[in-house]
Amino acid sequence: DAGVTQSPTHLIKTRGQHVTLRCSPISGHKSVSWYQQVLGQGPQFIFQYYEKEERGRGNFPDRFSARQFPNYSSELNVNALLLGDSALYLCASSTRGNSYNSPLHFGNGTRLTVT
Amino acid sequence: DQQVKQNSPSLSVQEGRISILNCDYTNSMFDYFLWYKKYPAEGPTFLISISSIKDKNEDGRFTVFLNKSAKHLSLHIVPSQPGDSAVYFCAASETGTASKLTFGTGTRLQVTL
């Protein structure tokens, strides 16, 4: 079975530009979450979507937005990129939104570098 | 404000011995705790979890212990194997927000021959 897939794997952008990151969850998983991992830190929660609705948002500015499509795939958008947005962006899926019996399964991430 | 803390950035253990990774938390609303393992260039992989109604959970070589009064949990790996060498993250969530995990900064475990 395919795991969580993310694209692209690497991306280089310039300050002020916009970026779109994509995620396909494990088949049958209806919940997608996005995390940002800065070098030397643990992943930090950005968004959770379940059944195409936003169910949670972390402490990130409005430059960050996301959406979930009818096939449960998801996009993370970041506008007006800053140098500090350089990080590994991880997508995770689970069968249900907030069940203790469905832990998050992570993709391998998109490495974003802002120059 | 670091709500989940892993105070040991690295740990080296001999193959066959026990590895003990520690994690402390400050948020008393956390009631679900997980450990993830991460290899370079891969996403975190779920290892084991424990809810606050338990104080121990075992899965093969991995055991997680939870001490709620001390707000402390630990992961024991017995016996340690070279393939266990990775970065281990402790994570926690509050009731009803199992997808909103708060992670620690990770502990790099190296299992030597």
Side-chain angles (χ1 to χ4, degrees), chain B residues 35-39 42-47 61-62 83-89:
Chain B
W35 285 93
Y36 280 84
K37 176 171 72 173
K38 188 178 186 301
Y39 293 118
E42 294 184 11
T45 302
F46 170 72
L47 269 179
R61 297 186 297 115
F62 302 93
D84 296 329
S85 297
V87 177
Y88 289 77
F89 290 99

Side-chain angles (χ1 to χ4, degrees), chain A residues 1-60:
Chain A
D1 286 344
V4 177
T5 57
Q6 294 186 243
S7 63
T9 54
H10 294 83
L11 201 52
I12 300 175
K13 290 285 190 178
T14 304
R15 276 178 297 176
Q17 285 188 317
H18 162 92
V19 69
T20 298
L21 310 180
R22 295 178 175 84
C23 171
S24 293
I26 292 172
S27 177
H29 285 195
K30 298 181 178 180
S31 175
V32 169
S33 301
W34 287 94
Y35 285 77
Q36 179 196 65
Q37 186 179 14
V38 174
L39 197 62
Q41 301 294 319
Q44 188 172 359
F45 174 77
I46 310 175
F47 284 110
Q48 186 215 348
Y49 276 78
Y50 178 64
E51 290 282 16
K52 301 178 286 294
E53 290 187 6
E54 182 181 307
R55 296 298 182 96
R57 183 185 183 113
N59 188 22
F60 279 81

Side-chain angles (χ1 to χ4, degrees), chain B residues 89-103:
Chain B
F89 290 99
C90 170
S93 68
E94 300 181 19
T95 303
T97 63
S99 289
K100 183 182 178 181
L101 297 178
T102 300
F103 282 84

